[in-house]
Structure formats: C-alpha cells, structure tokens
Amino acid sequence: MCFALCYYTRTDKYPKQKLWVKAMRITKKQVAVITLLNLIIAALIGTIFLLSHQKTTGQAQGDKPNIDAPDQNGDGNGDIGTVTPPHEKLRPATDGLVKEISRETRLMGSGDETVIFAHVVGGVTYVFGNAVVGDYDFDSSGGFVCRLDSSGKILGFTYLSGKLTAAGVIEGGFGAATVGNAEGADKSCTLYCVDGDGNVTSQLGLDGEAIKVLSVGSKRMAVVTALGKSTLKLTEYNLTGGVWALGNSTRISDGLSVDFFDCYYMREQYIISARAYSENKYDATVFYTFKAGGDATPHYNGGVDDASITPYAVQPYADGFMALCAYRGEAAIVTADYSFTSFRRDMLGIECDGASLAYSNGVYYASVTGGGVVTVFEIDNELNHKKISGADGTEIKHAVKMDETIFIGYSAQKVVVSDGGSTKITLDIKNADIARAFKTGYNTIMLVLSANGGSAVTKPTGERDVYVAEVIL
C-alpha cells in the first residue's frame, strides 16, 4: 500500500490572497521503509500470540511423563518432562541408570503393565504380558507379545484379545491363553498359537481359565485350566497337517480346594503337583497322575490336625519330587519317589510360614520365611542341605548357571543378584515381579520383570511398567 502525507499552510507573504500551498510529499523510498516496518510489527504481534497459546497448552498437558527421554535427575523417580511426540515404539535399548545395569528396555503404558512369561530363542526375547490401557507402547489393552533383538531393540508387538493368563513354548512357537474381560459380557477363554515372527497362526476355544501351557513332544501340547477352586482340567491338542486339533482331556476334582503348582509330562504320563486343602480341616501335598483321557489318581501327603502339611513350592529331583512345606509350623523337605509309594520328611529346624525353590546345575536353592526372617539353604540331589549365610534375607526366585550358579531374588524391597559369596549386587527396584532370568554372556544376565520403579530403573509411566534389563556381574 502506498500513500502520501500532505498538509497545507497559509503564508503571510500574500495576505490578500487566500493561497494554500502544498508543504510536503513523501518519497517512494520512504513509503517502502514504512511498509516494511508495518510488516515487522504484524509479525511480532503474531509471534507473541502463538507463544502465549503454546504456554497455556503445555501447562494443561505438562503432567504427562516424557517417555522418550531419560530421567532428568537421574534417580529414576523424578520429573522427566513433557511428552515428546511422536513416540517411537520400535526403539533401541537405553543405557542403564546404574553401573550394574548395562542396558534397559522399558515397555510402557499409563496403566499397570505386568509380565506373565518370557523366553529367549535364536537371540530374540519374547515377552508375554498384559497392558491395562492401550496407549504409549500399546495399541490395545489386554494380552500382548513383544519381541526384542539381542541388543534390546523392540522389533514389534502382537495383541491378543482378553487378559493373558498363561503362556508356554510349543511346536512352531508359543501357546498363549487369555480370558475375556471379567467386567464385560465376554467371558470366553482362548488359546492363541503364535509363531516366531509374532503372527497368530491359530485360535482355539478353552472351557476355563488356563494356568499352564506345556509342550508334549513335537506334535502335541497340553493346557491345564481351572474350572473353579476345586476342579482342574488337562486338555491335549495334536498338530496334524499344520493345524492344531482337540485331543483327549482329563477332569480332576476331589472336593478339596486346589492350589496348582505345576504340571509335568514324565514317563508317558502327566503329573500335576498341588496343595489340596479344606478350610481349617485338611491340608496336604498332592500329586495327581494320569494319562489324558483317563482318570486321575491322587497321591496325598498330609491330612488333618497334627498330620496336616502346608506345601509352598515343588520341584522334580533325581529320585522323584521335592516339596518345601510347613509341618506343625516348622520347615520341612518332603520328598516322594516317582511311584508315589514312599514319602520322606526332613525337618530343617526353623519356623516356616512361606518358602520358594529354585534349581540350577544340580543344586536347589530353598528360601524359607519364618517370623519375618528369610533363611536360605543349598540342597543337592542326595537331599544334603546346608545354610548359605551370605544369602540370608533373600527370597530366591530364579537361578542361572554361570561359572558359578547365580541366584536372583528379593531382599528388603530390592532385587539381589548373588552367588551367595563374593558376588552380590543389590538393585533398587521396587515391588519387582521377576518372570525370568537368562544368561546372555560370560558375565551378564538378563532379567525380565514388572516393577514400580526405584533408582536402578527408569520411572514407570503408570503404576507399573515391564523392564528387560541386562545386569553385569
């Protein structure tokens, strides 16, 4: 736009003539300068408006964590900024926050993420778990499978309808079982077959919530389902022409409440270990033996009153099965031969109200809790046992064969990685639920767990996140 600024004045030189003359006219150069100044002023006003709007928007969203950036204060629990869009899901691992953790991959969501099962094959880690909300890393709530390469980089996700309850290795990949949303109308239970690339190859209906998926040779798998507090069912599936088909099944119910421990396929029969009890009347270790399609035979050790035995953990051993139990409030090792015709009880001489068992390289690690104190024993295949004083206070969950066996457990709300002697690493990881532990190198192990945070890992985006962390011994 071009304009001229003019004004007129009356001169005294010609008083009798009312002559008005033009006093000034702006040049083209001056017009150009004024135009430029107007443009600059307009740009400044627009910038101020945009900055003001962005500040207001940022304050409204500023309570979301930055899921793509490390913790600003380095303790895993501080403010980590605002969300950085877009969120990169298929991302590499990050450096660990403490020197004992070389790398960390966090599977994150704004809810409560948990891990159910994990396995490593061909350098790929498969993590099976549940997400409460479909956001951040997760496109959907419910069951998921995440694949990570040997460096911890996320390769992809697979989503399963419903809540994941059990998973296991089967021919051609994995079996993963879900149950429909308990709060909704869908109560259906489904078994998904997932291959090594994360693809769902088939879906099978289940008549109850699965608690165990196991491989039975190359062409057969079995699924144990709970049909209530006192009823278990084992169903076989056979692989024919690349398709899984329903096979034989056995239903187990003896009127007692049953807490399932594990299922094994040994000597061409199934063996299910469990606790069988009734309220204030009966408590025992039980082993059910059967062939699929046939009746189950129960083998009890325990009973009523002074004969009652409360089992807490069961493992196979060289001559049969071993159970950590409480007998009259005292810790006991109860063993049974493979025919379940002979039971033996060895007292440990300490109070017991809980116990766990882990196995590696021919040795069992038993942690017994009694009166708030945790005592750890090493037990060999001959049932010789000794206390491991360097491990006292640690509730052992897993053991990994290295040059020396390394066990992993909990102590005072921290994760402990130790050999019971000179090597002991304590990691500040809160409320850890360790699904698996794997050897990844001559001096490294990988932990797959759910946790509420702690200074050793990055702060979760919700109540809990899933972590895949490599620990240096």
Side-chain angles (χ1 to χ4, degrees):
M1 180 175 65
C2 181
F3 63 91
L5 179 62
C6 303
Y7 69 92
Y8 295 88
T9 183
R10 185 177 179 178
T11 67
D12 292 330
K13 187 174 181 181
Y14 306 102
K16 293 183 178 180
Q17 298 181 24
K18 298 180 179 180
L19 180 64
W20 297 86
V21 296
K22 187 179 291 186
M24 184 185 74
R25 179 180 293 272
I26 290 184
T27 67
K28 289 184 179 180
K29 184 175 181 180
Q30 289 171 324
V31 168
V33 171
I34 291 171
T35 302
L36 179 60
L37 288 173
N38 275 282
L39 291 173
I40 292 172
I41 291 170
L44 287 172
I45 292 172
T47 301
I48 292 170
F49 174 78
L50 287 174
L51 288 174
S52 175
H53 177 71
Q54 288 177 355
K55 182 178 180 181
T56 302
T57 304
Q59 288 172 344
Q61 299 176 349
D63 56 351
K64 276 193 174 183
N66 182 351
I67 53 182
D68 292 328
D71 212 351
Q72 298 300 315
N73 61 15
D75 66 1
N77 288 298
D79 178 17
I80 50 178
T82 56
V83 173
T84 305
H87 173 53
E88 179 56 53
K89 296 179 181 180
L90 306 184
R91 60 187 181 278
T94 60
D95 292 338
L97 297 182
V98 294
K99 61 182 176 59
E100 294 87 358
I101 296 179
S102 60
R103 59 177 170 83
E104 171 201 295
T105 305
R106 179 170 50 124
L107 309 182
M108 60 191 78
S110 64
D112 184 15
E113 286 69 53
T114 54
V115 58
I116 303 297
F117 175 77
H119 188 71
V120 175
V121 58
V124 177
T125 301
Y126 297 83
V127 179
F128 293 76
N130 284 300
V132 173
V133 181
D135 60 8
Y136 295 137
D137 280 345
F138 305 104
D139 293 339
S140 172
S141 62
F144 69 85
V145 186
C146 179
R147 294 175 295 115
L148 303 94
D149 69 14
S150 58
S151 70
K153 183 182 186 297
I154 298 174
L155 299 175
F157 289 87
T158 300
Y159 299 98
L160 310 174
S161 178
K163 178 184 176 182
L164 184 70
T165 61
V169 178
I170 62 171
E171 177 71 15
F174 304 91
T178 65
V179 59
N181 184 0
E183 297 178 357
D186 182 11
K187 302 296 193 299
S188 62
C189 299
T190 305
L191 176 66
Y192 294 88
C193 298
V194 181
D195 66 17
D197 293 324
N199 301 312
V200 175
T201 57
S202 62
Q203 294 179 222
L204 302 165
L206 299 173
D207 57 0
E209 182 175 324
I211 51 180
K212 180 74 176 183
V213 177
L214 68 153
S215 177
V216 187
S218 62
K219 302 294 182 181
R220 197 162 30 134
M221 68 172 165
V223 179
V224 180
T225 54
L227 306 181
K229 291 184 178 180
S230 61
T231 304
L232 300 175
K233 184 178 180 181
L234 181 138
T235 304
E236 282 189 339
Y237 297 87
N238 302 305
L239 185 62
T240 305
V243 178
W244 287 101
L246 182 66
N248 296 321
S249 65
T250 292
R251 186 184 179 101
I252 301 169
S253 182
D254 52 15
L256 297 169
S257 295
V258 177
D259 289 344
F260 174 84
F261 287 130
D262 211 342
C263 180
Y264 320 89
Y265 186 74
M266 305 172 70
R267 303 186 177 188
E268 298 185 350
Q269 69 174 352
Y270 290 99
I271 303 168
I272 287 179
S273 60
R275 175 192 176 195
Y277 62 98
S278 61
E279 196 68 31
N280 300 322
K281 292 182 179 180
Y282 188 88
D283 209 345
T285 305
V286 62
F287 296 92
Y288 300 101
T289 58
F290 58 96
K291 291 187 177 182
D295 293 333
T297 301
H299 308 275
Y300 299 102
N301 183 251
V304 296
D305 299 328
D306 287 346
S308 68
I309 293 176
T310 303
Y312 293 104
V314 176
Q315 288 267 14
Y317 88 112
D319 295 323
F321 291 86
M322 174 195 308
L324 274 183
C325 306
Y327 173 63
R328 298 180 181 177
E330 185 178 329
I333 301 173
V334 174
T335 55
D337 62 9
Y338 282 114
S339 66
F340 301 101
T341 57
S342 174
F343 285 85
R344 168 182 163 181
R345 185 186 306 145
D346 291 271
M347 307 305 296
L348 295 178
I350 59 173
E351 185 180 349
C352 178
D353 51 38
S356 62
L357 265 174
Y359 171 83
S360 177
N361 197 28
V363 179
Y364 297 83
Y365 298 89
S367 54
V368 179
T369 304
V373 177
V374 181
T375 305
V376 177
F377 294 88
E378 183 180 284
I379 307 170
D380 64 20
N381 272 318
E382 301 298 323
L383 300 183
N384 300 308
H385 56 271
K386 64 180 180 180
K387 291 184 180 181
I388 308 176
S389 58
D392 279 350
T394 303
E395 183 183 353
I396 297 174
K397 293 298 183 182
H398 302 278
V400 179
K401 181 181 178 182
M402 308 289 283
D403 287 341
E404 294 184 75
T405 297
I406 300 296
F407 57 79
I408 300 96
Y410 312 117
S411 179
Q413 283 294 313
K414 291 179 172 57
V415 173
V416 175
V417 180
S418 175
D419 61 4
S422 58
T423 300
K424 186 170 184 178
I425 298 170
T426 302
L427 302 170
D428 179 25
I429 303 177
K430 305 299 184 186
N431 299 317
D433 183 6
I434 306 170
R436 293 293 297 273
F438 307 95
K439 177 181 178 180
T440 55
Y442 78 96
N443 71 333
T444 56
I445 62 171
M446 181 171 63
L447 304 181
V448 183
L449 54 91
S450 309
N452 290 105
S455 61
V457 292
T458 310
K459 179 181 178 182
T461 54
E463 183 178 341
R464 277 186 296 181
D465 279 342
V466 174
Y467 299 84
V468 180
E470 187 174 72
V471 179
I472 305 172
L473 302 176

